[in-house]
Amino acid sequence: MPVISWVAAGSFSDVMPVTIDDVIDWIPRPQHLSKRAFGLIIQGRSMWPEFKPDEIIYVEPEISPWDLKDGDLVVIHCTDDKQATFKQLIMGNGPEDMYLKPLNPDWPDQKIVPMGECMLVGIVDSKVTRYR
């Protein structure tokens, strides 16, 4: 399956406009993921210590927002951003009360972004760590 850039992930839609030119690398696809699943290489430390820079996360785009649960890890694309971002989903009292936050408690921007301002790109299924 392809590993794509965060910019390419940010352009995802139902039509999936990512092309072969957006592929950075290829990794084995776990059998339980759809053919549309893709990998992203972690950038930054907002999801530290669970997810470290240069680790690869498996992203499953074939999920409905209605199937999301409190605490799920999601890749989203917000209205004014050119890139996708990876955060934890916090659910409140209904579909209009969903927020995003980093896992890193020391991250300087602990601002919780309302999910309503963002489009779901996919849910994070698992990760791969490369040692070399």
Side-chain angles (χ1 to χ4, degrees):
M1 65 192 259
V3 176
I4 62 173
S5 73
W6 287 89
V7 172
S11 69
F12 253 59
S13 72
D14 291 338
V15 182
M16 197 171 159
V18 175
T19 68
I20 197 74
D21 294 333
D22 296 313
V23 176
I24 296 169
D25 198 357
W26 294 90
I27 55 176
R29 177 191 322 278
Q31 290 186 353
H32 67 280
L33 295 181
S34 74
K35 292 191 185 297
R36 291 185 60 214
F38 59 93
L40 287 173
I41 299 171
I42 298 295
Q43 299 175 342
R45 296 179 180 261
S46 71
M47 298 299 278
W48 180 275
E50 182 66 27
F51 298 91
K52 296 170 182 64
D54 297 326
E55 288 182 328
I56 297 172
I57 53 175
Y58 288 105
V59 181
E60 175 57 72
E62 292 190 7
I63 185 164
S64 163
W66 306 112
D67 293 329
L68 293 172
K69 297 178 184 141
D70 189 44
D72 279 345
L73 301 173
V74 295
V75 175
I76 50 95
H77 179 241
C78 295
T79 310
D80 295 332
D81 294 340
K82 292 188 182 191
Q83 296 185 347
T85 192
F86 170 38
K87 297 289 182 269
Q88 182 179 40
L89 178 68
I90 305 300
M91 299 185 94
N93 297 323
E96 301 300 319
D97 193 21
M98 294 191 285
Y99 298 89
L100 302 165
K101 74 172 200 139
L103 291 180
N104 185 344
D106 297 325
W107 192 247
D109 186 10
Q110 285 291 320
K111 178 182 174 194
I112 297 176
V113 180
M115 183 67 177
E117 298 174 10
C118 304
M119 176 187 80
L120 178 65
V121 173
I123 189 167
V124 175
D125 175 79
S126 54
K127 70 177 178 177
V128 172
T129 303
R130 292 183 175 170
Y131 296 102
R132 296 197 87 191

